[in-house]
Amino acid sequence: MEHTNFNDSLLSFLQSSPTPFHATDSMRNALIAEGFVELIEENNWVIEECRKYFVTRNESALIAFTTPELNFSQTGWRMIGAHTDSPCLKLKPNAQVDRFGYHQLGVEVYGGVLLHTWLDRDLSIAGRITLKTKAGDIVSRLVDFKDPIAVVPNLAIHLNRQANEGFSVNPQEEILPILCGAENEFDLHELLKAQLKKQYTDLPIDMILDFELSLYDTQPAALVGLHKEYICSARLDNLLSCFVGLRALLDSDGQRPSLLVCTDHEEIGSLSACGANGPFLEDVLHRLTPNPEQYVQAVQRSMLVSADNAHALHPNYANKHDKNHAPAINKGAVIKVNANQRYATNSETASVYRDIAAQENYDVQCFVVRSDMACGSTIGPITSGEIGVPTIDIGLPTFGMHSIRELAGSRDAYGLYKVLTRFTKRDKLISRLE
């Protein structure tokens, strides 16, 4: 896949994935199109040599893997990890709010949202609705309104003279989106039912039972900058890594067992049935290698590249970085290091990655947070701590992480794809493990 085609596909993926449910569905469709067989967790699995498989959990997390051979205790897996969720505003269960002549939506903040960036944006709604059919079955369906149907207007500077001196947004009172004026009749469940009927014309709906819905920015993902050198989009953290990992798996040569794991709920700690701090990956690996001794051997002959975004040095806020660890956009992926294990990178896993990147003639950068600032974390140390797999945390340099629109480099994603594709083909990792 060439650079231009890669970015075109990336933009399409970002646009079609407004929620973790939709991102997982997008990846599922891509895998099926490439001959991967879907496994169902509650069924018996029959895994055959030289096949490709995937499984989803909660419709928001996915694991895909190849089986060029089944002797995993001797080969291990080449693992790539990412997460499907992004900070956003989620509708509360009793979301309909009517006040001061407007119909609004009550929302809950999910993750570390930069709240002020959600003001004055054209917002839509997407997610999962669970309903009862006329036959009495309980089923779930994904919905995406696509059209801009909500907005959170800013407060005029005349009424907030200190706005440019810094202000906070109250998440209970000041971030509620407006849908329409009170002169219009409005019932949220009827709106959702109408959307279901629009998307699923043959679905016999009896009643809506519950929903998991989020707001999202309708502005399309785009290449921006004087020379189109940047990607500007919502949810780059971390759908950018999901897409890169997916393409690397699809384009591997299938000679070494490779695995992609994209879990949910990273932005709120990963502790869930479908999060990295849950049993999903371990459940799958145990089913592939049920013998306890061989399972440990397989894990220790494996390596996980945990791919999440990294903080690029912002030219307007350069003092927020250690000057010796200040990644630049379009200068290559970033190895993330932290002495307190907020990242799982060690010298061996970093060396393997550096060696692979050098073979692709791909630049490598390094990030360490300033010693006087707190460090974030990701799925790397969680996954490594759960199953014991040697892990490196990397990320593509990004501006505006957790903003409603983030900025990354248009050359970085393709370069990382090339490195991760080579990683899936890697014969030996660390010699002592072989």
Side-chain angles (χ1 to χ4, degrees), residues 222-234:
L223 295 177
V224 302
L226 187 61
H227 305 290
K228 306 296 183 185
E229 59 217 283
Y230 307 113
I231 297 171
C232 190
S233 174

Side-chain angles (χ1 to χ4, degrees), residues 321-352:
H321 277 75
D322 180 319
K323 66 179 182 179
N324 289 335
H325 304 90
I329 287 178
N330 282 322
K331 296 296 184 180
V334 179
I335 296 176
K336 299 191 283 188
V337 177
N338 182 257
N340 296 301
Q341 287 297 293
R342 300 295 287 170
Y343 302 126
T345 305
N346 62 38
S347 61
E348 292 184 332
T349 56
S351 296
V352 171

Side-chain angles (χ1 to χ4, degrees), residues 139-185:
V139 300
S140 294
R141 293 291 185 271
L142 304 189
V143 296
D144 183 0
F145 281 79
K146 294 187 177 180
D147 292 332
I149 60 174
V151 64
V152 185
N154 220 321
L155 182 65
I157 195 168
H158 314 78
L159 304 178
N160 183 11
R161 295 290 184 180
Q162 288 75 45
N164 290 329
E165 300 171 17
F167 73 101
S168 61
V169 179
N170 185 299
Q172 176 66 23
E173 299 291 338
E174 298 173 353
I175 203 69
L176 281 69
I178 294 173
L179 288 171
C180 61
E183 67 275 9
N184 301 284
E185 290 189 10

Side-chain angles (χ1 to χ4, degrees), residues 19 25 30 39 49 182 191 201 212 226 278 286 301 398 431:
T19 73
D25 190 56
L39 299 169
E49 196 171 85
L191 177 69
T201 55
E212 297 169 77
L226 187 61
H286 273 302
R301 286 193 167 98
T398 307
S431 294

Side-chain angles (χ1 to χ4, degrees), residues 135-396:
D137 298 321
I138 295 178
V139 300
S140 294
R141 293 291 185 271
L142 304 189
V143 296
D144 183 0
F145 281 79
K146 294 187 177 180
D147 292 332
I149 60 174
V151 64
V152 185
N154 220 321
L155 182 65
I157 195 168
H158 314 78
L159 304 178
N160 183 11
R161 295 290 184 180
Q162 288 75 45
N164 290 329
E165 300 171 17
F167 73 101
S168 61
V169 179
N170 185 299
Q172 176 66 23
E173 299 291 338
E174 298 173 353
I175 203 69
L176 281 69
I178 294 173
L179 288 171
C180 61
E183 67 275 9
N184 301 284
E185 290 189 10
F186 173 71
D187 180 275
L188 179 58
H189 273 231
E190 289 301 316
L191 177 69
L192 300 181
K193 187 180 290 187
Q195 184 64 27
L196 282 168
K197 290 179 178 177
K198 179 180 178 181
Q199 291 186 221
Y200 306 97
T201 55
D202 297 329
L203 183 63
I205 305 169
D206 180 23
M207 67 176 71
I208 291 175
L209 299 173
D210 215 327
F211 54 78
E212 297 169 77
L213 299 170
S214 304
L215 293 163
Y216 73 93
D217 183 14
T218 59
Q219 184 175 354
L223 295 177
V224 302
L226 187 61
H227 305 290
K228 306 296 183 185
E229 59 217 283
Y230 307 113
I231 297 171
C232 190
S233 174
R235 302 175 299 281
L236 290 179
D237 178 14
N238 185 237
L239 295 188
L240 182 57
S241 300
C242 289
F243 181 80
V244 171
L246 175 67
R247 290 309 322 175
L249 180 68
L250 293 178
D251 295 340
S252 67
D253 61 9
Q255 297 301 305
R256 305 292 291 182
S258 301
L259 182 147
L260 172 69
V261 52
C262 296
T263 49
D264 197 359
H265 299 136
E266 188 274 346
E267 298 294 355
I268 54 172
S270 291
L271 183 57
S272 71
C274 51
N277 203 14
F280 187 28
L281 177 57
E282 190 172 14
D283 286 348
V284 171
L285 295 182
H286 273 302
R287 294 180 81 160
L288 298 180
T289 309
N291 179 281
E293 185 168 350
Q294 291 179 352
Y295 171 81
V296 174
Q297 291 173 336
V299 169
Q300 292 307 309
R301 286 193 167 98
S302 302
M303 179 172 155
L304 169 67
V305 177
S306 166
D308 204 344
N309 296 47
H311 298 294
L313 181 141
H314 195 306
N316 298 340
Y317 303 92
N319 63 345
K320 297 297 183 180
H321 277 75
D322 180 319
K323 66 179 182 179
N324 289 335
H325 304 90
I329 287 178
N330 282 322
K331 296 296 184 180
V334 179
I335 296 176
K336 299 191 283 188
V337 177
N338 182 257
N340 296 301
Q341 287 297 293
R342 300 295 287 170
Y343 302 126
T345 305
N346 62 38
S347 61
E348 292 184 332
T349 56
S351 296
V352 171
Y353 183 85
R354 289 180 186 276
D355 185 54
I356 297 172
Q359 293 174 34
E360 284 292 334
N361 196 28
Y362 181 60
D363 292 333
V364 176
Q365 305 183 84
C366 193
F367 173 79
V368 178
V369 73
R370 284 177 57 107
S371 298
D372 54 1
M373 294 177 64
C375 183
S377 191
T378 183
I379 66 168
I382 295 172
T383 307
S384 182
E386 284 291 317
I387 68 172
V389 62
T391 300
I392 181 174
D393 274 301
I394 65 166
L396 293 180

